[in-house]
Amino acid sequence: METDPLLVSPQENTSPCRGLDTSSCSNPDSGYYGGTLRSRRFSRTATESAACNMIQQDDGDLYMQQATVFIEDAVQYRSINHRVDSKSLRLYRWYYSKICQWGLGATIFVILAVAFIEKPSSLTVTSDVRYRMAPWEPPCGLTESIEIVCFLIFVADVAVKSYLIGWEEFRKNKWLIAYIFVIAFSILDWMVSLGLHCEEALRVRRLLRPFFLLQNSSLMKKTLKCIKRSLPEIISVMLLLAVHLCLFTMFGMLLFARGKDSNGNAEWQAYFRNLPDSLTSLLVLLTTANNPDVMIPAYSKNRFYCIFFILFCGFGTYFLMNLLTAIIYNQFRGYLLISIQTSLLRRRLGIRAAFEVMCCQGQSMAGINEHVETVNTEMVLKILQGVHIKPFYKEAIIQKTQQCTDGSISANQFQKLFDELDKDTIKQYPPKPDYQHVFLQKLQFIFSHHYFSVAGNVVALANIICICTALVIDADKAVSERYDYFLGAINCFFIVYYLLEMILKIFAFGFKGYVSRSSNIFDGFVTVVLLCLQITIFATYSFPHPRWDPDVKAFMSLWEMVRLVNMLIVFRFLRIIPNIKLMALVASTLLDLVKNLRAFAGILVVVYYVFAVLGIMLFEGVITAPGNMSAVVNSSAPNTTVNYTATCGTYEQLEYWPNNFDDFAAALVLLYNIMVVNNWQAFMDAFARYSTPWSKLYFVAWWLTSSVMWVNLFVALILENFIHKWDRIHHSSISDEDQAECQMTVQSMFREFLQEPTEEELLSKLEQHPHLNIKR
């Protein structure tokens, strides 16, 4: 470890600014320089003065480098507990550069995507066991070569991370230690695969791949920690749900017990034959997937039997399940708030660390021993120029800095400079063209007015109505009987209007002003594509006329081209979204979820991946192509054989053959179908028959994880996001169109509930920094 001035230990440095001892340059008789004890005293010479000036310049550059990195850490909510010498800071900035982080993200994507091509390969047209051809299997060593390259990149990643944070921080970082163990185990399992010539029955490293995605996202790790802390409350409700399920199962088995009259045993025969079947039937009923099927045999016998099922669903589905949603929302939101509070502390700490470092630089330049309480404005502006931050944030912070007319900035003022990071970013549009002629100015006013866009929306609506009318008229006609002249002519007219509207808006706003609005980019792109398609139709089938022959063939038939044009016109109608307040609010909420809540979707990807790989390990090849398999032995009644192809509602009768665990892509689709819980009992029943009844535990575990946990969590987050945006719109002077352009982060969702860290807390954290020693 290098012994740069900012890395000296507290015992070796007595300067008030412990990051750097400047007394050796200001006082020639000082016994210390940079933390190194001098053996003798020297008189000040010209050579020594020049050396001191050079050292002070180098130290000043280091201070500026440190301040720049600390500000970048604050912006990205990163920890500042890393090495702060010059070489380490250069390595640190390179590691967190866009190229390096994109490269690491691409490596994680590749290691996860290997599952699609490795054995069992997903490279087939269909996953249906009846029609699927033998997939292409990669030769031994192909996917293994990809894996080892990824593992080496991960080794380099963990080595750089470990070096940058130092040994003390490394011992505290459980994720980094686990990272090393996962890489080591994966490489060991990879070596076993090569030793067995890729014929091993089990590849455990597949289950560990999602860990690389988890450890690379700090917000994802916080989310996982929040879920872990929320589990006790969630489990308590699930236990109550289990008690509810077990009690009603007992009641059901007693109520629908087998009787002497075989004609009255339909309910028992179908759903309550034994304890596992009874539990499964009511568990599925809890998701309403088999309602009212499960009730019909008993209800047909006696109408009062419906009370049992209504009570079960009323208390379980509509009370306990919704209560579980409320608990997940409340508990998770509380723990996520704590995590976001930690992120706020990191931001404030990074900003304060940058301020203290600049104070040390000011003290060094002034050659004094007293602590400096303010920093020079010019120094702040110089450092801000080198900070990697979004341009509009940097410009706002620089403008606010330039407003400090007294030439110095205090710690509190410096913190407030970065409040710009929490503000809504309103896009600044280029100025409109300045026309000199009065007539052109009036035209510009008309075509830039909001009502001109409204008129365009009305025209687009009329186009949609025409398309719907044509579809209704031609719904029952054969392709040869359709007469496309009127629809083609109408579409031609509307496309000309769309093109004219685009040209007039460019005239009113200017080209830069037109493309500065995302709605115009969308509108213009679709209009250009429509124009190209219409020109293609003209070139192929000539201009629409009453004797238009729709049977003329080209690379696409006329009907196919018209359908494509109609689909694009319908798609273009989405332009109305920014103009309708509530619709724009919903759209922007969804956009924020996609952009800023990637951590939650990332953990869902991790869960999907693990369950898919586990499902392949357990059930690969279990579902076989139907042939002599239409008659399968009933696992609940071993001495009977049932023709499940003819049984209504079964896997075979519904032809769910493409849903299996024979490859990774098919496994993902099957897990999604189960998460939706529509007919998920058919999958559970089929795999129980084709493999083992214990397979139901796998499907129930997936239902609890995906449908109960994550779906409820996403509902809660959507509610929080929507409520926050709704309140912001009704208490803000920002226009509706600009509100749709605003982006909201997870931190801003909880900003009003966060507490600012105190001065003492910030200074205490700075004193605990393992590599930066600052004394006030």
Side-chain angles (χ1 to χ4, degrees):
M1 180 173 168
E2 297 184 17
T3 56
D4 282 275
L6 278 173
L7 302 176
V8 295
S9 62
Q11 291 83 5
E12 293 175 335
N13 192 358
T14 58
S15 171
C17 186
R18 283 159 48 186
L20 174 68
D21 193 338
T22 60
S23 57
S24 59
C25 289
S26 59
N27 183 2
D29 295 333
S30 174
Y32 285 85
Y33 172 68
T36 304
L37 183 63
R38 290 176 180 253
S39 58
R40 65 184 70 178
R41 296 184 180 180
F42 294 92
S43 60
R44 181 176 293 273
T45 63
T47 303
E48 186 185 37
S49 299
C52 285
N53 292 333
M54 184 178 298
I55 291 171
Q56 285 185 341
Q57 183 178 358
D58 292 341
D59 291 339
D61 293 339
L62 178 60
Y63 280 132
M64 295 187 65
Q65 195 176 5
Q66 289 169 342
T68 301
V69 170
F70 287 149
I71 292 175
E72 291 174 352
D73 288 340
V75 172
Q76 300 297 331
Y77 298 101
R78 294 195 297 253
S79 172
I80 65 170
N81 292 337
H82 52 77
R83 296 176 185 264
V84 291
D85 59 279
S86 181
K87 291 183 178 179
S88 296
L89 289 176
R90 285 195 295 270
L91 177 62
Y92 183 83
R93 295 193 78 186
W94 172 83
Y95 177 78
Y96 282 106
S97 63
K98 288 185 177 179
I99 295 178
C100 188
Q101 290 302 305
W102 273 96
L104 184 58
T107 304
I108 295 172
F109 174 81
V110 169
I111 195 69
L112 293 177
V114 166
F116 289 99
I117 62 174
E118 66 183 354
K119 187 178 179 180
S121 173
S122 302
L123 302 180
T124 56
V125 176
T126 177
S127 61
D128 194 319
V129 296
R130 298 171 297 178
Y131 314 122
R132 182 178 55 199
M133 305 296 292
W136 173 81
E137 299 292 350
C140 181
L142 178 62
T143 58
E144 286 73 17
S145 299
I146 297 175
E147 284 183 294
I148 193 60
V149 171
C150 294
F151 291 151
L152 291 177
I153 294 175
F154 293 144
V155 169
D157 177 50
V158 73
V160 172
K161 281 183 178 178
S162 303
Y163 168 77
L164 289 175
I165 66 175
W167 174 248
E168 292 297 327
E169 289 296 310
F170 173 79
R171 290 189 304 173
K172 302 175 186 176
N173 197 321
K174 296 179 181 179
W175 279 97
L176 205 54
I177 295 173
Y179 192 14
I180 294 175
F181 279 106
V182 168
I183 294 174
F185 186 87
S186 298
I187 294 177
L188 182 63
D189 189 58
W190 177 85
M191 296 171 64
V192 172
S193 295
L194 289 185
L196 297 176
H197 303 286
C198 309
E199 296 296 333
E200 76 281 12
L202 191 65
R203 292 188 180 184
V204 183
R205 65 181 182 276
R206 291 179 180 177
L207 289 170
L208 301 178
R209 288 173 186 166
F211 179 85
F212 301 125
L213 178 63
L214 274 178
Q215 65 82 30
N216 196 49
S217 171
S218 59
L219 188 56
M220 207 177 291
K221 289 185 281 190
K222 289 178 181 179
T223 305
L224 197 63
K225 187 177 181 181
C226 293
I227 295 174
K228 179 182 176 182
R229 291 183 176 182
S230 304
L231 280 179
E233 290 78 9
I234 296 173
I235 290 175
S236 63
V237 179
M238 287 187 175
L239 287 176
L240 183 58
L241 199 62
V243 171
H244 167 73
L245 181 63
C246 290
L247 286 178
F248 271 84
T249 299
M250 295 295 103
F251 286 139
M253 293 185 68
L254 293 172
L255 193 60
F256 306 114
R258 186 176 187 178
K260 294 180 180 181
D261 184 9
S262 58
N263 294 327
N265 293 330
E267 187 73 31
W268 170 84
Q269 179 71 30
Y271 302 105
F272 291 92
R273 175 182 287 272
N274 50 44
L275 182 60
D277 287 353
S278 303
L279 276 172
T280 303
S281 299
L282 291 182
L283 178 63
V284 174
L285 180 60
L286 198 64
T287 65
T288 69
N290 61 351
N291 185 67
D293 300 354
V294 69
M295 179 179 68
I296 293 301
Y299 185 57
S300 298
K301 181 180 179 181
N302 190 324
R303 69 172 69 241
F304 290 102
Y305 280 129
C306 69
I307 297 175
F308 170 82
F309 298 99
I310 292 174
L311 288 176
F312 176 80
C313 287
F315 186 73
T317 305
Y318 299 110
F319 177 71
L320 289 181
M321 295 298 289
N322 289 326
L323 179 63
L324 187 62
T325 302
I327 289 177
I328 290 175
Y329 172 57
N330 186 58
Q331 294 296 326
F332 188 85
R333 185 178 185 275
Y335 289 122
L336 185 61
L337 181 61
I338 296 174
S339 298
I340 302 303
Q341 180 70 53
T342 304
S343 297
L344 178 65
L345 176 61
R346 282 187 172 186
R347 169 165 288 184
R348 296 296 183 255
L349 189 61
I351 295 171
R352 187 54 184 265
F355 178 81
E356 294 295 335
V357 165
M358 285 189 286
C359 287
C360 289
Q361 182 181 8
Q363 178 182 338
S364 174
M365 294 174 62
I368 58 176
N369 291 329
E370 291 79 11
H371 181 74
V372 178
E373 297 293 339
T374 60
V375 294
N376 188 276
T377 305
E378 296 297 327
M379 185 191 305
V380 174
L381 291 173
K382 187 176 180 181
I383 289 175
L384 287 175
Q385 292 295 338
V387 175
H388 293 159
I389 188 176
K390 292 182 178 180
F392 47 83
Y393 285 135
K394 179 186 287 190
E395 183 179 353
I397 295 172
I398 289 177
Q399 288 179 356
K400 197 170 181 179
T401 304
Q402 291 172 342
Q403 293 175 1
C404 299
T405 55
D406 56 352
S408 61
I409 300 175
S410 65
N412 188 38
Q413 290 174 324
F414 190 71
Q415 285 282 3
K416 289 182 178 180
L417 289 178
F418 295 89
D419 289 344
E420 300 294 326
L421 299 173
D422 298 324
K423 294 182 179 180
D424 293 327
T425 57
I426 307 303
K427 194 170 184 179
Q428 299 294 328
Y429 300 113
K432 298 178 183 178
D434 187 14
Y435 296 109
Q436 301 299 325
H437 200 281
V438 177
F439 179 71
L440 293 179
Q441 292 177 354
K442 291 182 179 180
L443 288 179
Q444 183 183 36
F445 174 78
I446 294 172
F447 298 134
S448 62
H449 200 277
H450 172 68
Y451 287 148
F452 184 68
S453 296
V454 173
N457 293 336
V458 173
V459 173
L461 179 61
N463 196 353
I464 295 293
I465 294 174
C466 292
I467 293 174
C468 290
T469 304
L471 291 176
V472 171
I473 295 174
D474 295 338
D476 297 327
K477 293 182 180 180
V479 176
S480 59
E481 298 176 355
R482 289 173 180 156
Y483 190 53
D484 297 321
Y485 165 68
F486 292 107
L487 187 58
I490 290 171
N491 284 346
C492 180
F493 165 76
F494 281 110
I495 291 172
V496 170
Y497 174 82
Y498 298 151
L499 179 63
L500 181 62
E501 182 188 22
M502 182 180 72
I503 294 174
L504 292 176
K505 282 189 174 182
I506 293 176
F507 162 78
F509 294 105
F511 181 77
K512 290 184 178 180
Y514 181 83
V515 298
S516 64
R517 293 166 172 82
S518 56
S519 59
N520 287 341
I521 295 175
F522 168 78
D523 192 23
F525 174 76
V526 178
T527 300
V528 171
V529 174
L530 284 171
L531 180 64
C532 293
L533 278 173
Q534 196 64 45
I535 293 174
T536 304
I537 292 175
F538 289 163
T540 308
Y541 298 101
S542 74
F543 191 81
H545 55 84
R547 294 185 179 182
W548 223 15
D549 185 7
D551 292 330
V552 177
K553 298 293 182 180
F555 68 97
M556 289 179 67
S557 67
L558 177 60
W559 173 239
E560 290 172 341
M561 285 189 176
V562 171
R563 278 195 305 167
L564 184 56
V565 168
N566 292 340
M567 285 190 288
L568 286 173
I569 289 173
V570 173
F571 183 61
R572 184 183 180 277
F573 190 66
L574 295 177
R575 56 171 277 170
I576 70 168
I577 289 178
N579 298 320
I580 301 177
K581 185 172 184 178
L582 187 58
M583 193 179 296
L585 178 61
V586 173
S588 60
T589 300
L590 294 176
L591 192 62
D592 280 334
L593 286 174
V594 172
K595 289 183 177 180
N596 299 311
L597 301 183
R598 293 189 296 266
F600 306 100
I603 294 184
L604 185 60
V605 169
V606 169
V607 175
Y608 257 97
Y609 200 100
V610 171
F611 270 86
V613 172
L614 190 59
I616 293 173
M617 291 179 178
L618 295 174
F619 307 116
E620 181 187 357
V622 167
I623 302 296
T624 56
N628 58 352
M629 292 300 295
S630 59
V632 183
V633 176
N634 189 353
S635 60
S636 61
N639 296 326
T640 62
T641 302
V642 181
N643 185 2
Y644 284 98
T645 304
T647 305
C648 182
T650 60
Y651 182 93
E652 295 82 1
Q653 186 270 331
L654 295 170
E655 296 189 342
Y656 282 170
W657 303 108
N659 293 280
N660 52 64
F661 286 103
D662 291 351
D663 60 72
F664 188 73
L668 292 177
V669 174
L670 176 54
L671 291 176
Y672 170 78
N673 291 333
I674 297 171
M675 185 180 74
V676 177
V677 301
N678 185 33
N679 276 346
W680 73 294
Q681 73 277 9
F683 302 115
M684 192 160 48
D685 173 68
F687 282 91
R689 286 188 281 106
Y690 284 102
S691 58
T692 170
W694 291 102
S695 63
K696 292 181 180 180
L697 295 177
Y698 170 87
F699 292 96
V700 172
W702 171 246
W703 168 71
L704 289 172
T705 304
S706 62
S707 185
V708 175
M709 283 284 297
W710 278 105
V711 171
N712 287 331
L713 179 60
F714 269 102
V715 169
L717 290 170
I718 289 173
L719 285 174
E720 182 68 26
N721 201 323
F722 182 84
I723 292 171
H724 181 88
K725 274 188 169 287
W726 181 268
D727 292 340
R728 188 173 62 174
I729 285 179
H730 285 78
H731 297 88
S732 175
S733 59
I734 302 175
S735 65
D736 297 341
E737 184 178 358
D738 289 334
Q739 283 286 354
E741 299 282 345
C742 291
Q743 298 180 9
M744 185 178 66
T745 62
V746 180
Q747 285 79 12
S748 64
M749 288 172 57
F750 300 95
R751 187 65 186 87
E752 59 181 310
F753 304 102
L754 300 179
Q755 294 182 351
E756 288 289 339
T758 62
E759 177 85 3
E760 292 76 14
E761 187 177 4
L762 292 177
L763 294 178
S764 175
K765 292 287 185 182
L766 282 177
E767 290 178 358
Q768 297 172 12
H769 195 287
H771 306 290
L772 180 68
N773 298 312
I774 296 177
K775 181 178 179 182
R776 293 180 61 83

